[in-house]
Amino acid sequence: MSGGHAPVMLAEVLATLAPRDGGLYLDGTFGGGGYAQAMLSAAACTLWAIDRDPAAIARGAALAARHPGRLHLIHGSFGSMLALLREAGVQRLDGVVLDLGVSSFQLDDPARGFSFRGDGPLDMRMSAEGPTAADLVNRLGEAELADTLYQLGEERLSRRIAKAVVAARAEAPITTTARLAGIIRAIVPPDRSGIDPATRSFQALRIRVNDELGEISRGLEQAARLLGPGGRLVVVAFHSLEDRLVKRFMVAAAGRAALPSRHDPAGLRDRRPAAWRLLTPRALRPGTAETLANPRARSARLRAIERIGADTGETLA
Ligand SMILES: C[S@@+](CC[C@H](N)C(=O)[O-])C[C@H]1O[C@@H](n2cnc3c(N)ncnc32)[C@H](O)[C@@H]1O
């Protein structure tokens, strides 16, 4: 899709979420609205949609106008979904979908500073708030910068890159994506995969600028609190750090027995079954046709859980 965002694993997301008439859903990463549009067409449901990027919310107005009263857009982070939805009067949901990472709208616009392909300001914020990537690159100590590149980008040459960044910024602050990419490319040799040597470092900075891992942890916990019996949580992740968090959370949820009752503190007689069922014992992957048509889909992994049992109002705190 040129000039837009091709929704990843759309058919699998819809089949797993299985929206039904009268249901209440949340798309926590509205983006280009691809999932939202498909959900609104698939069932006579009501959809709440969150995005931290004001541009995504503004673009969504046209879709909301085409579905009067059925699509409600909220600007904010999905890591605050509980407060955002409660403020809007929503207590319970039948389904939540999260499609992690950035959209093509964000990646392809050099002015947003996510991409090392074009030149632009070193920004990388999905929202328009908080410190930019340039702030981090120019202010972090060498050791902390190296740790960030290693931990969030799995960049093995992190120490050498951090050293070069600190030397370069002593000459002049690093304010553009092209300058940073150039510094990294002078250190990291291209490998046979053809992946740009700056990829891992840019990923690390993006994750840190947007606190993406913290957002995922908060978002998963809060989605679980909002989902009623039969409610489904569907997450599409794009790299191993994201997917590891999602997998751990879902496996733990599906394996966790509810707290023992107060009449049986040891839980010996009364141990209740887990409150969640894993819908994807193994992550779903995109089909070959999709990965050929949309290279961004290649690394996608879809995982999902469903709340089971009677509606006790209990939460997965
Ligand atoms: C991969 S795109 C979603 C694409 C969407 N599923 C579609 O079909 O068009 C991810 C979107 O989620 C937003 N996003 C990422 N992290 C977020 C967060 N923690 N809270 C809210 N929005 C977030 C980004 O701004 C981006 O617009």
Side-chain angles (χ1 to χ4, degrees):
M1 198 197 282
S2 71
H5 178 91
V8 171
M9 299 187 76
L10 178 60
E12 292 87 346
V13 164
L14 264 194
T16 311
L17 197 61
R20 50 181 175 72
D21 293 350
L24 201 57
Y25 297 88
L26 170 70
D27 177 349
T29 51
F30 178 74
Y35 287 3
Q37 188 163 0
M39 289 163 73
L40 290 166
S41 302
C45 58
T46 302
L47 182 59
W48 292 81
I50 293 177
D51 203 294
R52 73 200 304 192
D53 186 341
I57 296 299
R59 265 194 314 269
L63 184 61
R66 288 205 296 280
H67 298 277
R70 292 183 57 208
L71 172 61
H72 306 281
L73 294 158
I74 306 178
H75 177 230
S77 295
F78 63 65
S80 304
M81 67 171 79
L82 202 55
L84 292 170
L85 289 176
R86 291 210 167 140
E87 209 172 288
V90 179
Q91 306 289 345
R92 271 297 160 97
L93 293 168
D94 298 300
V96 175
V97 61
L98 299 176
D99 180 16
L100 301 173
V102 282
S103 71
S104 305
F105 286 106
Q106 294 165 329
L107 265 183
D108 297 345
D109 179 358
R112 302 297 302 264
F114 287 104
S115 176
F116 38 76
R117 291 202 184 90
D119 194 10
L122 190 53
D123 190 324
M124 300 197 192
R125 293 170 304 171
M126 293 186 207
S127 67
E129 296 150 5
T132 63
D135 292 331
L136 293 184
V137 162
N138 291 298
R139 290 186 200 156
L140 287 184
E142 187 177 321
E144 192 175 352
L145 185 57
D147 287 349
T148 297
L149 302 183
Y150 184 72
Q151 286 160 11
L152 302 181
E154 297 172 294
E155 174 55 72
R156 280 177 298 134
L157 297 175
S158 58
R159 302 222 167 273
R160 285 180 53 201
I161 296 172
K163 194 167 182 213
V165 162
V166 168
R169 76 189 187 194
E171 286 167 23
I174 302 165
T175 55
T176 65
T177 53
R179 178 147 181 249
L180 178 63
I183 295 166
I184 298 166
R185 286 187 195 120
I187 306 248
V188 183
D191 63 16
R192 265 180 279 139
S193 68
I195 292 173
D196 190 293
T199 306
R200 289 182 293 276
S201 298
F202 270 61
Q203 172 190 302
L205 290 169
R206 192 199 89 197
I207 292 175
R208 178 149 175 182
V209 164
N210 296 288
D211 185 21
E212 291 180 34
L213 302 183
E215 276 293 308
I216 294 172
S217 298
R218 291 187 289 276
L220 294 173
E221 288 285 346
Q222 294 181 25
R225 288 177 184 224
L226 283 157
L227 286 165
R232 293 181 171 191
L233 171 58
V234 179
V235 185
V236 179
F238 289 89
H239 56 75
S240 56
L241 296 173
E242 288 176 346
D243 186 54
R244 204 174 300 151
L245 282 179
V246 176
K247 181 179 176 184
R248 278 202 194 134
F249 179 85
M250 290 190 173
V251 167
R256 189 186 301 178
L259 286 176
S261 83
R262 124 183 102 82
H263 307 292
D264 177 26
L268 297 176
R269 274 171 299 150
D270 215 20
R271 193 178 292 276
R272 284 174 285 164
W276 298 86
R277 178 165 77 92
L278 259 188
L279 296 175
T280 50
R282 281 164 159 265
L284 302 186
R285 305 296 307 267
T288 318
E290 180 171 6
T291 52
L292 286 175
N294 180 12
R296 198 187 115 76
R298 263 180 224 152
S299 52
R301 288 183 179 78
L302 183 156
R303 298 186 189 271
I305 49 174
E306 179 187 65
R307 186 188 274 280
I308 48 179
D311 187 357
T312 59
E314 201 171 54
T315 59
L316 187 89

